[in-house]
């Protein structure tokens, strides 16, 4: 019953979550710096501090990749939940 | 609307900052160091107290707001306009534009802003306001573009658009006057929220400040030690900037909420006029009624009943988007005007710096007889040093960030050496970082402290006589260094130093932090110590201590027992050195900073020590790699260096006769010039021969 009720909302939620991924990278750097958690964010900070543009570029690419893949997963989840999204708009259903 | 009022107040205060702020916090000498950590009182200057440097917190808040608000709000407005344009473009016709713009939105939307800004800062050594705004816009235009695209697509099927098309309204006009207004509501709301996000992002970048990291650690820690720790009052002061930041962000978000509500017909109209949802199975009349009232709601001002609105003349269709676009451009213009920095004040301000130096010395209990006198010369003029100091004629201030302001201070330090007195002169640059509301954990100190952004002149480096001086002043014994031993700690001139007892008799006190000799003693014949060299005290108005004792021995820190090398002969020689180099470079390639001269600036590996005949000055780029070397010698002396390579090209540039040797592979390119009795050799492995020729021609 719960699933029947929440199923149409899944594409919307998934899209919203994917949209939140892009600012996540920025927030990640700040939070990891604050708490000192060893992770990609702290790596980005130290790379910026040391002038390591190579690492920073790689991290930028990585974060972008995460965002894109997240968007893909969100679209897939939406399509799985809502059959109307499985075909391109305008095509004969 | 309260949010609008708060925001307007903040913007107004920031724009008027140059007029109403009690001090200019970017001015390195405009504050009173004795007022450090002063609690708030009723004077305008110290309304909110003073921070650790004696700066008025009110001034910092007002001036910092300019930068933060301009970047945040300005970038948000521009991003909104860009997003509107792209979103409308995506709905132009059902062609190739839509997938193209959508792809562009995906690409730009995937790039995170803060790591991109970090990347920029690592390349540029900081992020000036322009590139920061560009990055914010480049990553931020995606959201309003998506909103616009969705709204315009939805509006395309509305009956009023169909009516407009039937009336013959063409493509661009339709887009601008009829479709864009549908998007304005959400984009306007986004602008305010986006401005809040950008302001927070800029503050976050300031919080990290990776380009100041090294200086942060040094200055922050040293200033902490000097200031005697941080009191509770300091924490409150530091957080005021964060409070202002939070307040502005809150106001902006509130504004966004208010805009959204104002545009939404379900909340902005009087209840009677709100469009009601059409009941199920309604006939076309009711649908037309609902559409009509919705139409009226969109075109009307949103207040009052619909009936009254009908009687008023309707504004032309293009009014709304024009007002929106024009209004935002006007606001941008105001922000731009309001953020213009006034120029650094011209003319010397020796009085202020002297006062600051005296108060600083008094704070530390040092005698006022030993004071650093400095003159503060603004960098409006690109002329040579005021006293003909060598290496003092930089034509540009090596400021790390273009938004910063840089002041050049010519500093003299006097100290006594035995019975004599010597003085040295040098040049220091002091940069003040761009003021924003970012909260820096180094707190107020590192973020607003004047940061030395350039090296001191050679005499200053020679000032701190190196620990190797021991070898020269004591009885010549090549193995002296190897047998030295630590004999405790002492404090000389307020700096802790290690006492090293030397086997030949005598002792030297070496600065614990920087490895420089602060006191060198040699016993006389009777065995009594006779101080040969003693730094009696150092005082400074600006925190030049880190640069004064820039360690000239590479890789050395702490007590230097091993690896003693040939330093300057004595202090008088240091003085002579300051006078030797008669050639002052007037042209330096941009981005190069003169390295602090070290002992080997006056030392030749093969012929030894020659402070009066030879001096070598190296210029490094921002990564610390040496890019240019300038070697000045007395021509045809034993120290003169003439490149052995045969192919020399003689040319005349700006009235100077030059000899040029192009570089091959590993060999450096060389240019030699003789001018006013001094021969100079300019060499570089990375710069081009033309550049070297210009540098050499600019030596006077």
């Amino acid at each position: 019953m719960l699933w029947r009720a929440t199923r149409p909302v899944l594409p919307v939620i998934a899209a919203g979550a994917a949209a939140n991924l892009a600012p996540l990278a920025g927030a990640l750097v700040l939070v990891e710096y604050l708490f000192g958690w060893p992770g990609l964010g702290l790596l980005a900070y130290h790379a910026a501090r040391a002038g390591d543009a190579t690492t920073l570029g790689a991290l930028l690419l990585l974060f972008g990749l995460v965002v894109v893949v997240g968007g893909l997963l969100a679209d897939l989840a939406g399509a799985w939940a809502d059959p109307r999204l499985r075909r391109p708009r305008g095509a004969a259903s | 609307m309260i949010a609008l009022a708060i925001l307007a107040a903040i913007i107004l205060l920031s724009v008027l900052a140059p007029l109403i702020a009690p001090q200019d916090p970017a001015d390195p000498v405009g504050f009173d160091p004795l007022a450090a950590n002063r609690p708030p009182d009723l004077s305008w200057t110290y309304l909110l107290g003073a921070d650790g440097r004696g700066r008025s917190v009110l001034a910092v808040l007002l001036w910092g707001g300019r930068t933060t608000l301009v970047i945040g709000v300005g970038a948000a407005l521009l991003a909104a306009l860009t997003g509107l344009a792209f979103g409308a473009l995506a709905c132009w016709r059902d062609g190739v534009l839509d997938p193209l713009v959508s792809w562009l939105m995906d690409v730009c939307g995937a790039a995170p802003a803060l790591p991109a800004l970090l990347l920029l800062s690592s390349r540029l050594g900081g992020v000036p306001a322009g590139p920061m705004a560009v990055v914010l816009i480049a990553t931020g235009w995606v959201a309003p573009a998506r909103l616009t695209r969705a709204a315009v697509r939805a509006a395309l099927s509305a009956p009023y658009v169909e009516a407009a098309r039937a009336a013959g309204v063409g493509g661009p006009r339709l887009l601008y006057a009829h479709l864009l207004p549908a998007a304005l509501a959400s984009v306007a709301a986004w602008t305010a929220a986006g401005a809040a996000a950008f302001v927070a992002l800029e503050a976050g970048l300031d919080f990290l400040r990776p380009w100041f990291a090294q200086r942060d650690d040094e200055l922050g820690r040293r200033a902490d030690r000097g200031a005697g720790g941080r009191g509770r009052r300091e924490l409150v002061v530091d957080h005021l900037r964060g409070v202002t930041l939070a307040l502005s962000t809150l106001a902006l978000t509130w504004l966004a909420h208010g805009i959204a509500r104002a545009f939404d017909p379900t909340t902005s109209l009087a209840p009677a006029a709100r469009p009601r949802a059409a009941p199920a199975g309604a006939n076309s009349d009711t649908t037309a009624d609902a559409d009509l009232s919705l139409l009226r709601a969109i075109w009307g001002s949103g207040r009052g009943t619909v009936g009254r609105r009908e009687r008023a003349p309707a504004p032309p269709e293009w009014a709304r988007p024009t007002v929106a676009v024009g209004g935002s451009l006007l606001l941008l213009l105001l922000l731009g005007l309001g953020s213009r920095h006034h120029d650094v004040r011209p003319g010397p301000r020796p009085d202020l710096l002297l006062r600051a130096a005296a108060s600083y010395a008094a704070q530390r209990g040092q005698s006022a007889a030993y004071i650093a006198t400095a003159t503060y010369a603004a960098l409006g003029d690109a002329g040579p040093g005021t006293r003909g100091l060598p290496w003092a004629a930089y034509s540009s201030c090596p400021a790390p960030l273009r938004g910063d302001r840089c002041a050049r201070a010519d500093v003299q330090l006097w100290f006594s050496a035995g019975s004599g007195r010597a003085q040295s002169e040098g040049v220091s640059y002091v940069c003040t970082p761009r003021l924003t509301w970012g909260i820096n954990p180094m707190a107020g100190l590192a973020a607003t402290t004047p940061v030395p952004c350039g090296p001191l002149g050679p005499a200053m480096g020679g000032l701190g006589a190196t620990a190797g001086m021991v070898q020269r002043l004591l009885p010549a014994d090549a193995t002296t260094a190897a047998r030295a031993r630590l004999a405790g700690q002492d404090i000389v001139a307020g700096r802790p130093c290690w006492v090293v007892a030397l086997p030949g008799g005598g002792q030297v006190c070496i600065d614990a932090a920087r490895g420089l000799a602060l006191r060198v003693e040699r016993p006389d014949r009777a065995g009594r110590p006779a101080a040969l060299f003693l730094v009696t005290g150092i005082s400074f108005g600006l925190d030049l201590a880190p640069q004064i004792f820039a360690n000239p021995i590479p890789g050395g820190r702490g007590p230097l027992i091993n690896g003693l090398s040939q330093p300057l002969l004595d202090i008088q020689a240091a003085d002579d050195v300051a006078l030797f180099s008669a050639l002052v470079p007037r042209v330096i390639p941009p981005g190069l900073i003169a390295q602090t001269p070290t002992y080997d600036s006056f030392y030749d590996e093969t012929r030894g020590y020659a402070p009066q005949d030879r001096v070598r000055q190296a210029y490094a780029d921002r990564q610390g790699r040496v890019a240019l070397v300038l070697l000045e010698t007395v021509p045809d002396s034993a120290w003169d260096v003439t490149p052995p390579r045969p192919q020399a090209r003689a040319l005349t540039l700006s009235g100077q006769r030059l000899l040029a040797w192009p570089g091959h592979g590993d060999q450096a390119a060389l240019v030699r010039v003789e001018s006013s009795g001094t021969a100079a050799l300019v060499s570089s492995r990375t710069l081009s021969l033309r550049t070297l020729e210009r540098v050499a021609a600019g030596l006077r």
Side-chain angles (χ1 to χ4, degrees):
Chain A
M1 179 61 195
L2 203 62
W3 169 241
R4 289 280 163 221
T6 57
R7 184 169 172 170
V9 193
L10 187 61
V12 178
I13 293 182
N20 272 335
L21 275 181
L24 192 72
L28 191 72
V29 181
L30 278 172
V31 169
E32 285 196 3
Y33 171 76
L34 264 178
F35 290 102
W37 291 334
L40 288 178
L42 200 58
L43 176 67
Y45 169 71
H46 283 301
R49 193 172 134 155
D52 188 0
T54 314
T55 307
L56 279 173
L59 281 171
L60 198 64
L61 274 178
L62 191 67
F63 288 140
L65 188 68
V66 165
V67 170
V68 167
V69 169
L72 174 69
L73 289 176
D75 284 341
L76 286 176
W80 171 75
D82 188 351
R84 290 176 300 178
L85 298 176
R86 290 182 191 166
R87 295 244 158 70
R89 245 193 306 253
S93 54
Chain B
M1 296 193 344
I2 310 175
L4 202 57
I6 297 177
L7 204 57
I10 292 179
I11 290 185
L12 196 68
L13 281 178
S14 295
V15 163
L16 293 177
L19 300 174
I20 59 176
Q23 302 167 343
D24 182 359
D27 186 358
V29 297
F31 58 94
D32 186 7
L34 279 181
N37 296 333
R38 187 167 157 167
D41 57 25
L42 286 178
S43 71
W44 178 239
T45 313
Y46 297 111
L47 196 63
L48 297 173
D51 65 5
R53 302 280 308 172
R55 249 179 251 279
S56 153
V57 173
L58 184 63
V60 169
L61 280 181
L62 289 174
W63 278 90
R66 289 158 67 95
T67 321
T68 310
L69 279 181
V70 164
I71 294 180
V73 176
L77 280 173
L78 282 173
L81 289 177
T82 316
L84 269 177
F86 272 96
L89 205 65
C91 308
W92 178 238
R93 269 178 206 148
D94 269 336
V96 69
L97 273 178
D98 193 15
L100 188 68
V101 175
S102 300
W103 169 84
L104 201 64
M105 287 200 288
D106 287 336
V107 167
C108 290
L114 195 59
L117 287 171
L118 286 180
L119 182 64
L120 204 64
S121 81
S122 78
R123 295 307 286 167
L124 298 180
V127 188
M132 172 179 269
V134 166
V135 169
L136 287 177
I137 295 171
T139 54
W141 68 268
V142 175
R146 285 207 175 112
L147 288 171
T148 314
R149 184 174 167 276
V152 171
R153 279 206 175 269
L156 271 176
S157 50
Y160 68 90
V161 171
E162 206 176 314
R165 276 216 184 102
V169 180
R173 196 191 161 94
L174 183 77
L175 203 59
Y176 183 69
H178 291 81
L179 293 175
L180 267 189
L184 277 180
S186 35
V187 170
W190 178 89
T191 308
F198 286 169
V199 163
L201 196 68
E202 207 240 338
L205 188 67
D206 208 55
F207 174 77
L208 292 178
R209 277 205 174 235
W211 59 91
F212 275 134
Q214 192 186 9
R215 291 166 174 158
D216 273 3
D217 291 335
E218 295 181 2
L219 276 179
R221 277 206 296 268
R222 190 168 289 105
D224 256 20
R225 254 188 279 134
R230 317 179 53 75
R232 198 177 304 150
R233 201 180 304 124
E234 278 260 359
L235 292 177
V236 171
V237 156
D238 298 336
H239 284 123
L240 271 178
R241 283 157 73 200
V243 165
T244 323
L245 184 68
L247 192 64
S248 63
T249 311
L250 178 69
L252 281 169
T253 317
W254 212 348
L255 185 69
H257 189 60
I259 292 179
R261 281 173 54 105
F263 275 92
D264 183 3
T266 55
T267 51
S268 63
L269 298 177
R274 283 183 197 159
R276 282 175 291 277
N283 53 15
S284 58
D285 283 341
T286 320
T287 317
D289 261 342
D291 278 341
L292 196 61
S293 58
L294 190 62
L295 176 64
R296 287 204 186 105
I298 291 175
W299 286 113
S301 70
R303 295 262 173 258
T305 65
V306 176
R308 198 171 69 204
R309 194 72 199 131
E310 273 179 332
R311 278 193 287 276
E317 313 102 55
W318 47 264
R320 188 172 290 248
T322 310
V323 162
V325 173
S328 44
L329 287 177
L330 188 67
L331 190 57
L332 274 174
L333 186 70
L334 282 177
L335 283 175
L337 286 176
S339 75
R340 192 175 301 270
H341 285 297
H342 65 268
D343 292 329
V344 179
R345 246 155 292 155
R349 304 272 309 268
D351 54 332
L352 281 182
L353 198 51
L354 196 54
R355 180 171 64 87
S359 62
Y360 219 77
Q363 212 176 358
R364 277 152 178 71
Q366 287 163 352
S367 65
Y370 180 89
I371 281 196
T373 313
T375 54
Y376 166 94
L379 276 184
D381 49 295
T386 52
R387 273 183 283 287
L389 299 172
W391 294 284
Y394 301 129
S395 57
S396 67
C397 176
L401 295 180
R402 232 163 291 129
D404 302 344
R405 290 208 274 147
C406 187
R408 193 179 88 187
D410 302 322
V411 183
Q412 295 176 344
L413 283 182
W414 291 306
F415 54 96
S416 60
S419 57
R421 205 175 93 146
Q423 85 184 42
S424 285
E425 296 179 342
V427 170
S428 163
Y429 289 99
V430 174
C431 276
T432 313
R434 179 183 68 205
L435 290 173
T436 61
W437 286 337
I439 309 168
N440 191 302
M442 289 303 179
L445 237 48
T448 59
T449 297
V451 174
C453 55
L456 300 184
M460 300 291 273
L463 234 210
T466 68
M469 215 175 118
V470 167
Q471 208 170 353
R472 296 291 304 185
L473 293 172
L474 296 174
D477 184 344
T479 57
T480 298
R483 296 206 303 266
R485 59 177 178 82
L486 271 181
Q489 271 195 311
D490 197 357
I491 295 192
V492 173
R495 298 185 67 87
C497 57
W498 297 94
V499 177
V500 178
L502 297 159
Q507 52 169 232
V508 57
C509 205
I510 300 178
D511 183 67
R514 292 297 190 177
L516 301 170
L518 299 176
R519 180 182 64 211
V520 180
E521 290 177 330
R522 182 170 74 181
D524 59 8
R525 289 218 184 81
R528 289 190 301 266
L532 278 179
F533 167 66
L534 172 69
V535 175
T536 56
I538 304 128
S539 77
F540 31 84
L542 320 165
D543 197 349
L544 298 176
Q547 293 300 322
I548 290 178
F549 288 102
N551 190 358
I553 298 194
R557 255 178 208 266
L560 288 176
I561 300 175
N562 305 317
L564 297 178
S565 53
Q566 303 275 348
L568 306 171
L569 272 172
D570 55 33
I571 311 311
Q572 201 55 46
D575 251 12
D576 293 338
V577 163
L579 301 172
F580 163 69
S581 170
L583 293 183
V584 175
R586 277 174 180 55
V587 175
I588 295 289
L592 293 188
I593 304 172
Q595 285 191 318
T596 304
T598 70
Y599 67 99
D600 66 354
S601 304
F602 315 107
Y603 179 72
D604 189 319
E605 290 84 13
T606 51
R607 296 186 200 87
Y609 202 63
Q612 306 198 22
D613 300 307
R614 173 194 179 279
V615 67
R616 174 184 177 277
Q617 174 71 46
Y619 294 84
D621 59 15
R622 264 198 205 93
Q623 275 78 34
R625 292 186 294 260
V626 172
L628 180 74
V629 173
L630 183 62
L631 185 70
E632 293 179 32
T633 56
V634 174
D636 304 321
S637 70
W639 314 96
D640 195 10
V641 176
T642 308
R645 289 184 257 157
Q647 289 93 356
R649 185 166 59 98
L651 64 144
T652 305
L653 197 61
S654 314
Q656 298 269 60
R657 290 205 52 238
L658 309 173
L659 289 173
W661 290 262
H664 295 292
D666 222 13
Q667 290 181 327
L670 302 166
V671 173
R672 181 190 166 89
V673 63
E674 284 196 28
S675 170
S676 27
T678 308
L681 193 67
V682 185
S683 64
S684 167
R685 280 212 176 87
T686 51
L687 298 175
S688 73
L689 199 59
R690 300 296 313 266
T691 317
L692 295 185
E693 284 163 7
R694 272 190 288 127
V695 172
L699 291 172
R700 290 279 183 271

